Amino acid sequence: MQYRRLGKSGLQVSVLSFGSWVSFSKQINDKVADELMGIAYDNGINFFDNAEVYALGESEKMMGRVLKKKKWDRTSYTVSSKAFWGWRGKENKPNQTGNSRKHLIEACNEALQRLQVDYLDMFFCHRPDKNTPIEETVWAMNHLIQQGKVLYWGTSEWSGVEIMEAHRVAEKLRLIGPTMEQPQYNLFERDKIDKEYLDIFRTVGLGTTIWSPLASGLLSGKYNDGIPKNSRFALEGFDWLKERWVMDDKVKKVKKLSELAAKLGVSTAALSIAWCIKNPNVSTAILGATKKIQLLDNLKALDALEKLTTDVMEKIEGIMKTKPVLPEF
C-alpha cells in the first residue's frame, strides 16, 4: 500500500480506501462487511468512509459493529462521517439537515454513537448549505475539533469558490479551515479535480478523498453487455444512477478501455482506479466493492499504476476524450 498526506495536513491516508455508500445494509450484511473491511485493513487500507445519510444511518451502525468486533488499534485507522442530508429521510424536521451549528454538532454526536468510536478522524459537510452563513459552519467545525470529537473537517461537492470562502473566513477569525474535499472523480467526471480546484491545490492546499472512481461500476466493464441482476444499477430506488451512467456512448468508451486493459494484462477496474490515483492531487480513492473478488481486483490498481506510462495515459485520453479544457492566459 502507498500512503499520501491529506492535503497540507500531517495525516497519512492509504491511497486506496474503503467506503460504504449503497453497499452497506442495502447490498451486503454484517458478515460480508466484516470480511471486506478485514481484507482492506490487512492490505494496508487505513481509511473507512461513511455518512449519516447512507442507508439512513444503518450503514454507520453496520460499520460500527464491525469495528467493535475487529478491536483494531484505534490509532491504526481513520474513519469518517458526513452531515447535511440528515438520516431520517422524509421524516426530517427543521434543523435535522444542513450545515447549521445545531445540526453539525448533533449529527457528529449521532455518528459517534452509530460508529461506536470516541472521535471522527474526518468529518465532512456533505453539501454546501445556501441557508447557513459560512461563518457559522466554520465555527461549528472548529468547536468540534476543540472538543476532540473531530480531528479534520472538510467538504464534499463544494465549489472552489465555496471552499476558498471557508478558508477566508477561517483565516479572518483565526479558526481551522477545511483540510479536504470529497468530490466525485473518474474518467467521466473530471472538472473539479482537473480544472476547478487547481488554484486551491497550489495555494491553501487541499486533500481529496475521491468517490466513485469506477463511476458506480461502469468503469469496471461489468455493464459492457447489459445490467447484471445484483448490481448497483439494478437496485430499487437507484434508477437515477442507472440513467446517469448507462448511455451507449459511455459503454462504447468503456469497451475500448477494456481492450487496452487486456493488452496491459490488468482488469478494466484496476486500470480505471490506477488512472485516478496517478493524479498527485488525489489523496485517496474510495473503493466500494461488495464481493471479495471485486475488492482484491480493485487492490491490483497499485500494480496497474506502474503500467501507466506517458504513452498509455495518452491512449486512455484518446479513448475517453473527457479531459477538461483549461482557460488560456
Side-chain angles (χ1 to χ4, degrees):
M1 183 57 63
Q2 297 179 19
Y3 299 88
R4 294 179 183 175
R5 301 282 176 182
L6 186 64
K8 287 188 175 180
S9 78
L11 186 67
Q12 297 183 67
V13 290
S14 49
V15 73
L16 298 177
S17 44
F18 190 70
S20 66
W21 180 53
V22 181
S23 58
F24 277 41
S25 187
K26 288 184 178 294
Q27 288 181 294
I28 64 176
N29 56 25
D30 280 41
K31 182 179 179 181
V32 178
D34 183 282
E35 179 186 35
L36 294 177
M37 286 179 65
I39 291 170
Y41 184 82
D42 290 343
N43 280 275
I45 284 179
N46 73 350
F47 171 41
F48 297 92
D49 181 71
N50 221 311
E52 62 173 3
V53 73
Y54 295 168
L56 300 181
E58 293 303 316
S59 174
E60 290 186 329
K61 289 179 182 178
M62 180 177 284
M63 185 173 283
R65 292 192 294 269
V66 173
L67 290 174
K68 185 176 181 180
K69 182 180 177 183
K70 291 293 190 186
K71 294 181 180 178
W72 294 326
D73 186 331
R74 181 64 183 89
T75 63
S76 69
Y77 67 89
T78 62
V79 65
S80 73
S81 182
K82 296 184 281 292
F84 176 79
W85 305 107
W87 59 268
R88 298 166 180 84
K90 294 179 181 178
E91 302 302 315
N92 278 324
K93 292 180 171 58
N95 300 316
Q96 292 178 337
T97 61
N99 295 337
S100 68
R101 179 182 290 108
K102 178 174 173 63
H103 180 58
L104 290 177
I105 290 174
E106 291 175 342
C108 177
N109 290 334
E110 290 171 338
L112 293 175
Q113 292 174 10
R114 288 191 290 263
L115 289 165
Q116 301 188 55
V117 293
D118 295 325
Y119 63 91
L120 298 172
D121 299 273
M122 300 176 222
F123 193 35
F124 297 81
C125 293
H126 211 161
R127 289 295 186 275
D129 183 354
K130 306 298 185 183
N131 298 312
T132 300
I134 188 65
E135 290 85 355
E136 180 176 338
T137 298
V138 175
W139 265 114
M141 288 300 202
N142 193 84
H143 179 63
L144 288 169
I145 290 175
Q146 287 182 320
Q147 286 186 314
K149 293 179 179 178
V150 170
L151 302 186
Y152 302 88
W153 82 273
T155 59
S156 181
E157 293 298 332
W158 283 32
S159 69
V161 171
E162 289 162 335
I163 293 170
M164 288 308 296
E165 178 64 6
H167 276 284
R168 185 193 67 78
V169 167
E171 184 176 9
K172 177 184 176 182
L173 301 177
R174 297 189 177 182
L175 303 175
I176 298 171
T179 296
M180 65 284 176
E181 156 69 24
Q182 187 168 119
Q184 180 173 192
Y185 184 59
N186 54 57
L187 277 162
F188 287 118
E189 290 284 337
R190 303 176 55 176
D191 273 14
K192 277 188 164 65
I193 293 277
D194 290 342
K195 184 178 181 180
E196 187 175 352
Y197 295 160
L198 290 182
D199 281 340
I200 306 178
F201 293 134
R202 285 193 289 260
T203 54
V204 297
L206 184 70
T208 57
T209 61
I210 65 119
W211 61 277
S212 204
L214 293 177
S216 293
L218 181 61
L219 284 162
S220 70
K222 68 179 178 182
Y223 297 109
N224 284 0
D225 300 306
I227 300 176
K229 276 188 178 180
N230 296 321
S231 67
R232 186 169 293 187
F233 290 160
L235 286 177
E236 184 178 349
F238 283 84
D239 290 339
W240 61 273
L241 200 60
K242 178 178 69 175
E243 291 168 3
R244 175 176 183 174
W245 289 119
V246 183
M247 301 178 185
D248 287 343
D249 61 326
K250 287 180 177 170
V251 173
K252 286 178 182 177
K253 289 180 178 180
V254 177
K255 286 182 177 179
K256 290 182 180 179
L257 190 68
S258 296
E259 293 173 3
L260 176 60
K263 290 178 182 177
L264 295 172
V266 299
S267 70
T268 311
L271 180 65
S272 300
I273 295 167
W275 178 88
C276 291
I277 61 177
K278 175 78 171 177
N279 189 330
N281 291 322
V282 171
S283 307
T284 182
I286 303 171
L287 308 178
T290 57
K291 299 181 180 67
K292 177 180 178 179
I293 190 171
Q294 287 178 328
L295 180 54
L296 292 175
D297 178 61
N298 289 354
L299 288 167
K300 291 179 181 176
L302 293 169
D303 299 322
L305 185 60
E306 299 174 0
K307 301 187 178 186
L308 293 184
T309 62
T310 301
D311 180 56
V312 170
M313 291 293 281
E314 288 177 355
K315 287 180 179 177
I316 292 174
E317 293 289 8
I319 292 170
M320 304 305 295
K321 294 181 171 59
T322 54
K323 188 173 184 178
V325 177
L326 300 178
E328 296 181 4
F329 296 100

